[in-house]
Amino acid sequence: MCGALSATAGPREDAELLAAAEAGSVPAIARALENGAAIDAVDDRGNTPVMRATLAGRVDAVKRLVADGADVNRRNAMSDNPFLYAGAEGLLDILRVVAPKADPTLLNRYGGTPLIPASEHGHVEVVRYLLERTRVNVNHVNNLGWTALMECIVLSDGGPRQQQVLQLLLQHGADPGIPDRDGVSALRHAEQRGQTAMAKLLRAAGAKP
């Protein structure tokens, strides 16, 4: 289970809805809603049914809950919501469902957008979707002082997927000149890590050491 229902969370129907969402049972979700369950009931970790379904990777459940008006912007105790979590974890199918109703200015516990961890992990298609279909700020700086471009360098090996991510970021306006909080440039980080291909892409985009 992704979190037990708290004592004050609501009636039995709310608990049934939360469990049905996590299990991905659309019929059980429908029954719980028909029986009066609150669509945005929360468990003791602040997870709503749509968040529980997201954590469990239950695409059909997410679709049903969103169609019924679930709040995809509510964040749990970890400051995650379906948009932030799906982006960070590479859950593209869920991201497509929740993104049209998501507030792209909401941030995760690191003060970042979903684009930043997606770039770090090399979730190429998620990065493409976020850049092409949402209003996520490509140059947002998180609490560590890193943009998505910076994080895809400093927290990766600069392999093929990160190279594709870097190309996408640059194509969509990522500024290679934004340094980290110590004033070290993305190009310098790439060179120090022996990321030859990443450094070449940065230089082609006009980056300076």
Side-chain angles (χ1 to χ4, degrees):
M1 296 288 286
C2 293
L5 186 69
S6 69
T8 60
R12 174 173 55 85
E13 289 80 10
D14 290 354
E16 291 173 352
L17 178 58
L18 286 158
E22 183 174 336
S25 175
V26 173
I29 289 171
R31 284 194 300 272
L33 290 172
E34 289 168 2
N35 290 334
I39 195 164
D40 292 320
V42 294
D43 65 19
D44 62 351
R45 298 180 188 176
N47 293 313
T48 59
V50 73
M51 188 65 210
R52 288 270 282 260
T54 298
L55 289 167
R58 308 296 191 181
V59 180
D60 289 342
V62 172
K63 287 179 180 177
R64 173 60 195 256
L65 291 161
V66 169
D68 283 335
D71 182 359
V72 300
N73 291 310
R74 184 165 183 164
R75 285 172 289 184
N76 64 13
M78 295 292 288
S79 293
D80 277 325
N81 65 26
F83 182 66
L84 292 165
Y85 186 86
E89 297 299 319
L91 305 177
L92 182 58
D93 289 342
I94 290 177
L95 185 66
R96 286 174 172 150
V97 176
V98 302
K101 296 182 180 295
D103 179 351
T105 67
L106 294 178
L107 305 176
N108 61 28
R109 62 190 177 278
Y110 303 108
T113 69
L115 181 64
I116 297 177
S119 297
E120 171 199 340
H121 297 305
H123 297 319
V124 178
E125 292 309 314
V126 165
V127 169
R128 189 190 312 277
Y129 182 89
L130 288 169
L131 292 170
E132 294 180 353
R133 303 296 296 275
T134 78
R135 293 180 292 108
V136 166
N137 179 3
V138 69
N139 289 312
H140 176 81
V141 179
N142 68 11
N143 293 342
L144 297 172
W146 295 336
T147 61
L149 185 151
M150 184 68 77
E151 191 148 321
C152 89
I153 293 169
V154 299
L155 294 181
S156 82
D157 61 2
R161 290 190 305 165
Q162 270 76 28
Q163 291 166 36
Q164 292 180 66
V165 165
L166 180 56
Q167 288 178 309
L168 285 168
L169 292 170
L170 292 169
Q171 289 166 9
H172 287 85
D175 183 354
I178 299 176
D180 66 15
R181 60 175 50 165
D182 295 318
V184 180
S185 70
L187 178 56
R188 181 65 57 82
H189 276 294
E191 291 174 337
Q192 290 174 344
R193 287 164 171 74
Q195 297 175 1
T196 305
M198 300 285 270
K200 182 176 180 180
L201 289 169
L202 289 167
R203 290 193 199 94
K208 304 298 181 184

